Amino acid sequence: MAPATPARRHEDRTSGVIGLLNHFWLALLSDDRLREEAGLRYVSHMWDVQPYWYLWLAGCRGVYRLELSGAQEVSGYDWVAEFLVKYYPAEEEDFFQGLSFLEKVCRQSEIFKTRPASGGGCPCHGGPARSDGEPFADLRDGTGVPSAQQADGVPPEFFYAGRLLLAYRAGAGSLVRLKSQSSWRVLMTRDYGISDAEGHLLGILRNGERDRDYPGLAIVEPLYRHLVRGWRSFHQYPACHERRWQGEGVRFDCDGETLVPVPSGEIERVIRETLLAAGGGVTLPTLEDADIDGMK
């Protein structure tokens, strides 16, 4: 048999990540104790260009989108998976105010006027009828996620809050890493008018105005915390070790056409890591990351 090509090995790693994560979510949803520990209310598995999951968490008024951006084999681990984290805040939520002008327009548009699917299963796909009352009663006024038919109309950079990394080695342990900033801030460097598709002026962003001030770390940390807690309980890892790095962040200067990253002492860049081991004598290799360079 011919050896697997790098592309084939990458595909196999991606399939393994998707399979284990779906098994993980289903295990949590079917066990009240695990579900409560992970703070998981509902989950929907979706797929367009990349596979992703919508996550409704306890205590969060908005909805997380956990998007698998890549998976690969790394020495010492079966696979390392990287995820983009996006967050669709409720309109009455404080986080909503930190969105850009166009993100607010998108969040308030018909794209987000969605209702949960009938039956049980998940809010986006439904499933077998349930006998325990109205399913998704708390979502009857809206799921908080884009319509499946219109989701590709949402620009990929919208609602971005940070990244998560999950490294896994069967029988040995896992590593979970968070990357974000205290704020993802966009500062206008000149006046810029925003118009709709028909050319009607929607608004003007003024020179020196903050168009975006999205508190990435505050948004991603609850997801990170719930994921670590649920993943640890699911695998029954007895050992846990945490680390944290911080450094100077960046803001983005915008002239209406381009974004230019600028170092900012007002913004903190943060990486958090939790190492989960299957036993006290088990050691997992350090996962190298250029993003940690220069951080304390």
Side-chain angles (χ1 to χ4, degrees), residues 85-123:
V85 178
K86 299 177 183 179
Y87 184 70
Y88 306 128
E91 293 180 40
E92 63 276 11
E93 193 173 5
D94 289 343
F95 291 145
F96 177 83
Q97 300 305 320
L99 294 173
S100 69
F101 182 93
L102 286 176
E103 284 174 313
K104 291 176 183 175
V105 171
C106 179
R107 181 62 184 85
Q108 293 175 316
S109 72
E110 289 299 316
I111 293 176
F112 279 84
K113 306 302 182 186
T114 55
R115 299 290 182 270
S118 59
C122 74

Side-chain angles (χ1 to χ4, degrees), residues 87-257:
Y87 184 70
Y88 306 128
E91 293 180 40
E92 63 276 11
E93 193 173 5
D94 289 343
F95 291 145
F96 177 83
Q97 300 305 320
L99 294 173
S100 69
F101 182 93
L102 286 176
E103 284 174 313
K104 291 176 183 175
V105 171
C106 179
R107 181 62 184 85
Q108 293 175 316
S109 72
E110 289 299 316
I111 293 176
F112 279 84
K113 306 302 182 186
T114 55
R115 299 290 182 270
S118 59
C122 74
C124 295
H125 300 109
R130 290 170 21 170
S131 59
D132 56 347
E134 179 186 355
F136 318 121
D138 54 337
L139 302 180
R140 64 167 66 94
D141 294 329
T143 62
V145 302
S147 160
Q149 292 73 32
Q150 299 175 286
D152 60 356
V154 180
E157 69 273 14
F158 275 20
F159 307 104
Y160 174 79
R163 291 177 177 268
L164 287 178
L165 180 147
L166 177 60
Y168 173 74
R169 181 178 175 184
S174 299
L175 182 149
V176 188
R177 185 176 286 171
L178 169 159
K179 299 181 183 182
S180 192
Q181 292 198 151
S182 56
S183 177
W184 296 103
R185 183 175 300 166
V186 175
L187 186 69
M188 300 303 300
T189 57
R190 70 179 180 92
D191 292 352
Y192 183 77
I194 297 178
S195 302
D196 62 17
E198 287 73 38
H200 301 126
L201 186 66
L202 297 176
I204 299 177
L205 301 175
R206 300 295 182 182
N207 181 27
E209 178 183 351
R210 291 181 185 178
D211 180 42
R212 194 178 200 259
D213 204 0
Y214 209 39
L217 184 61
I219 290 170
V220 180
E221 270 202 308
L223 174 61
Y224 170 79
R225 186 172 61 250
H226 285 305
L227 178 62
V228 167
R229 189 179 300 134
W231 194 256
R232 183 181 185 185
S233 295
F234 172 70
H235 289 283
Q236 297 183 349
Y237 292 133
C240 176
H241 177 68
E242 295 190 350
R243 300 179 68 186
R244 178 188 174 102
W245 298 265
Q246 58 262 350
E248 184 179 68
V250 297
R251 72 167 191 267
F252 296 88
D253 286 355
C254 179
D255 61 3
E257 302 294 337

Side-chain angles (χ1 to χ4, degrees), residues 74-75 77 80 165-167 175 177 273 285-289 292:
V74 173
S75 178
Y77 293 93
V80 176
L165 180 147
L166 177 60
L175 182 149
R177 185 176 286 171
E273 176 183 283
T286 300
L287 201 59
E288 299 297 330
D289 193 331
I292 296 177

